[in-house]
Every structure is written in C-alpha cells, then in structure tokens.
Amino acid sequence: MKNKINIYLIEYAINSLLRQKYKNIFILIVFTFLTSLLTSIFFISNSIKHELNSTLKSLPEITVQKLKAGRHHSINTQIVDDIINIAGVEDAIPRVWGYYYFANAGVNFSVVGIDEFENQYKDSLNKIIKENDFSKAEENSSMIVGTGVKKILDENYYSEYFNFIRPDGTIKPVNIGGVFKSNLQLESNDIILLPKETALDIFAMQEDMATDIIVKVSNPEEIFTIASKIKLMYPDTRVITNKELEISYQNIFDYKGGMFLALFIVSIFTFFIIIYDKVSGLSSEEKKEIGILKAIGWKVEDVLKEKFYESFIISFIAYTFGILISFTFVYIFQAPLLRNIFTGYSQLKTSFELPFVFDFNTLFLVFFLSVPIYIAATIIPSWKSATIETDKVIR
C-alpha cells in the first residue's frame, strides 16, 4: 500500500507547478530543446551510419585505376583478359563512369555507362536494369535517372530530355527513359544510367577505354594477393581493395563524428549547468513551502514523493516532446542545417533523404541522460530542506 500512487499528491504537484508556471514553462522549453537537439544528433548519426554500412557491403573487392602523372586516367580495356587469367579472379568488368557538372543547379551528377548484356559490378544495377527495361533505353539512346536527379532536372525544365555538353562544346541531347529509386540513397540518388556508348560519347572517350576496372574475387582471403599480382603486372596502376575503401569511408565519418562529439558535449554541458543550479539549493520560497507542509503534518517521505511527481512531470513531458520534435525534424523535415555537420554543405552534390532508423538504444540513452538526472537534482535539495527542523526552514 505504501508504494501505491497517491492521486492527491499528484494533484498537489500539478497545482504547485502551476503556481510557478512561468519558471516551470521556461525550464520545460529549455529541457525540451536540449532533449530534441541531443536526440536529433543521434538520429542523424544512426541514419548516416546505416547508409554508410549498406554502401560498404556493395563495394567492389578490387578496383584498378590507371595513373598518369600521378592522376587518375582512362584505362585500356585490353588488360581485362590478362586480369581474368589470374588464378582466383572470378570476373573483371571495365566501368565507364564519371561526374558531370550541371552548372544551372550547381550539382555534380554521377554518370554511369551500362551494357545490358555485360556482367554488372553490383547487384543493385541488375535490379534497376530489370525493373526499368534497359533494352528500350539502349534502343532509344535514353537514360534512367535517380529520383534526386529527376527532381533537379524538373526544377530546371528538363522534364523529357537533358542536353549534355561534350568536352569539345557540342551538345548531346539524351531522352529521360525512366526513373529509379534505390534503397541506398547515398549511392544512387545522384546517378544517371545510360548506354555505355552514350557515356563514352559524353566523356569523349575511345571505345576501348574505361574509367577503371572492377575485379571480383571468389575467395575474400585472396584479395590482397591478387591485388599485389595486378600491381606487379601493371606498375602504372593504382589497385584499391575494398578494405582500403572501407577505411577511407570510415575516416570521413569519424572526422564528422568529431563535430558530432563537440555538439554532444555542448548539449550535455548546458544540461548539467541547469542541473547544478537546481542541486545547489532551493529558493527561499520553495524552502518555506516545505516548512509549512511539515508544520501541517506532512512527513519527509510525503514531501519527497510530491517533489518526485513534480520533477517527473516536467522531465517526462520535456523528454516526450523532445523525441517527437526530433522525429519530425529529422525524418519529416530532413534535419535542415544540422545534418550538414555530417554530410557537409556543398552545392556540388544532390540532396538525399535520411533513411528512417528506429533505435531503442537511442531512446533509452537520452531518457537516462535526462529524466533520472533531473529528478535526482530536484529530490536531493528537497531532502536537505525537509530534514531540517520545521521552524528553521520557515525562518
């Protein structure tokens, strides 16, 4: 019976909060803001990590690039046969791809040349080719674009076709044959898929040239050995393994993670300033109220329960509002400004949507970093005042 919720104490706690409504509303607003900021940081981080991990799984085992004067250069596709003959190599696929800068929108598109009857270097391309009937695109020399690209083209009045400008300044019009949406938005949102011949034409590349060569390896344990053999056969190439790409991606995210940590520390520091202010003592009016309650017969236990209800109501409402605001801010409005800390602010890339990732651990972490700490910060000074003799507290 002692642990039974006391409705009268809850009613008194609510009335007590309303008596100092302006002060409590201010605490509620600040508490909600800090909770929503902290939760938004976790949500954005979780979404980008999810995209990053999904992208890492689709990375090629080995990428072979030609180097000329220390810079990336087109590679001759004739070496594909030599690479395939290396023991342990499952396939070698020449890729034609590159970035196309669309000055009107200030963005870079990723242009990828596809041959429908060739082996594709990743499963997601096979899926897109099947879903969009790429044979028609080849017949009509049209292109399949990602949803982000289509949005930008529509905004610039290219709803049916797009005019590519070749390096020599001539124009290459290409019809829009379809739109695809991939689960990996970081990977595909800015992608344009078109026939390989058209891509070679746009980049002014010869037919026997490619941007790089993707090497598939049957046994993952042999990746390093095969990469070393390719490097020995062609010393003028840069041979990149999927492990090296993974480290590169992770370093970029860790760099952004440092900014995340700085923002996280600022939020926590601000929150603990509020907590410190509460723990340092009650106001004279609050002490007087506790003294009066004890004078009319309230026990220390009753006072602490009432203070618990007060602090729980404020902290739990702030926590709930903070979570709801974060959900809305991150997953509906796509965290404007705040997500640029992680993705960088640049007009040279198309936007992408943060995928919804529901993580209970984040909700528990934010809860235990906020609600119990605030309750403790209210209970401790109240207990100090409630254990002093009544006449001294009132004086």
Side-chain angles (χ1 to χ4, degrees):
M1 293 296 289
K2 286 184 179 178
N3 294 327
K4 187 177 179 181
I5 295 175
N6 191 323
I7 300 298
Y8 297 106
L9 280 180
I10 294 176
E11 183 180 358
Y12 182 87
I14 294 172
N15 289 327
S16 178
L17 291 173
L18 293 176
R19 279 196 296 276
Q20 301 182 48
K21 57 184 176 184
Y22 295 113
K23 173 188 171 186
N24 290 319
I25 287 174
F26 176 75
I27 293 175
L28 184 65
I29 291 173
V30 174
F31 203 149
T32 303
F33 173 75
L34 291 175
T35 306
S36 61
L37 177 62
L38 194 60
T39 312
S40 298
I41 293 169
F42 281 121
F43 283 166
I44 295 169
S45 175
N46 290 341
S47 295
I48 294 179
K49 270 187 177 177
H50 172 77
E51 277 291 300
L52 184 61
N53 291 332
S54 301
T55 303
L56 289 176
K57 291 177 184 175
S58 65
L59 290 176
E61 284 95 357
I62 297 174
T63 305
V64 182
Q65 297 177 339
K66 169 86 171 179
L67 291 181
K68 196 170 184 178
R71 299 178 68 85
H72 182 203
H73 196 267
S74 300
I75 192 167
N76 197 311
T77 56
Q78 292 177 354
I79 71 170
V80 168
D81 293 336
D82 296 336
I83 294 175
I84 289 178
N85 289 329
I86 298 174
V89 171
E90 181 182 328
D91 199 358
I93 304 164
R95 289 196 304 181
V96 176
W97 70 279
Y99 297 113
Y100 182 86
Y101 181 62
F102 182 35
N104 285 9
V107 298
N108 271 326
F109 296 141
S110 297
V111 176
V112 180
I114 296 288
D115 187 335
E116 184 184 7
F117 301 104
E118 276 187 354
N119 294 331
Q120 306 303 326
Y121 63 93
K122 60 172 65 176
D123 294 336
S124 58
L125 289 181
N126 284 321
K127 184 180 176 185
I128 294 169
I129 289 171
K130 289 180 182 176
E131 290 179 350
N132 292 274
D133 193 5
F134 200 77
S135 58
K136 288 186 179 177
E138 288 187 322
E139 289 173 9
N140 304 325
S141 188
S142 56
M143 60 186 183
I144 310 294
V145 301
T147 51
V149 177
K150 183 67 169 71
K151 181 181 176 184
I152 289 177
L153 294 183
D154 285 341
E155 290 172 353
N156 289 274
Y157 309 103
Y158 286 106
S159 56
E160 296 181 358
Y161 68 95
F162 179 69
N163 287 328
F164 287 97
I165 300 176
R166 299 186 184 95
D168 61 3
T170 57
I171 293 176
K172 171 74 175 177
V174 180
N175 293 324
I176 301 172
V179 181
F180 71 90
K181 184 174 183 179
S182 169
N183 293 328
L184 302 178
Q185 296 191 43
L186 277 177
E187 177 192 46
S188 62
N189 191 56
D190 62 344
I191 283 183
I192 294 176
L193 301 177
L194 35 67
K196 190 171 279 187
E197 288 182 4
T198 309
L200 289 168
D201 186 15
I202 290 170
F203 292 135
M205 293 170 60
Q206 297 174 11
E207 289 185 6
D208 58 347
M209 303 298 282
T211 307
D212 51 31
I213 296 173
I214 297 302
V215 181
K216 292 186 176 181
V217 179
S218 304
N219 183 0
E221 300 294 330
E222 295 179 339
I223 290 176
F224 180 76
T225 304
I226 292 172
S228 301
K229 288 181 179 178
I230 296 173
K231 184 65 181 174
L232 284 173
M233 291 169 62
Y234 302 101
D236 59 342
T237 59
R238 177 167 55 192
V239 184
I240 307 167
T241 65
N242 55 353
K243 195 65 182 176
E244 291 169 333
L245 282 174
E246 183 179 340
I247 292 171
S248 177
Y249 273 65
Q250 195 61 51
N251 285 340
I252 293 172
F253 187 79
D254 288 344
Y255 167 71
K256 303 292 184 182
M259 298 181 188
F260 153 75
L261 184 62
L263 196 57
F264 174 78
I265 290 173
V266 169
S267 303
I268 291 294
F269 184 71
T270 309
F271 177 70
F272 276 96
I273 287 177
I274 298 172
I275 297 301
Y276 175 78
D277 180 63
K278 289 195 69 71
V279 173
S280 60
L282 300 176
S283 65
S284 57
E285 192 175 335
E286 289 172 315
K287 290 180 180 176
K288 187 176 179 180
E289 181 184 357
I290 290 176
I292 293 171
L293 291 174
K294 287 187 67 181
I296 61 175
W298 282 43
K299 298 176 184 177
V300 174
E301 181 184 346
D302 296 329
V303 173
L304 296 183
K305 277 186 178 179
E306 189 273 330
K307 290 298 177 186
F308 170 82
Y309 290 139
E310 277 188 30
S311 55
F312 180 78
I313 290 170
I314 284 187
S315 58
F316 190 73
I317 290 176
Y319 169 77
T320 306
F321 281 174
I323 296 294
L324 293 175
I325 290 172
S326 296
F327 265 111
T328 307
F329 177 69
V330 175
Y331 295 122
I332 295 179
F333 294 105
Q334 291 295 303
L337 298 179
L338 192 56
R339 78 171 184 176
N340 291 332
I341 293 175
F342 298 90
T343 62
Y345 181 76
S346 172
Q347 291 297 323
L348 299 180
K349 60 182 181 182
T350 54
S351 61
F352 68 96
E353 291 186 359
L354 293 168
F356 178 73
V357 178
F358 190 77
D359 183 15
F360 275 111
N361 292 333
T362 296
L363 301 183
F364 283 129
L365 179 61
V366 174
F367 181 85
F368 286 112
L369 280 175
S370 56
V371 176
I373 294 174
Y374 185 81
I375 291 174
T378 305
I379 294 290
I380 292 171
S382 300
W383 172 76
K384 288 180 181 176
S385 299
T387 52
I388 301 174
E389 292 181 14
T390 305
D391 57 334
K392 289 183 179 178
V393 178
I394 295 176
R395 283 203 300 269

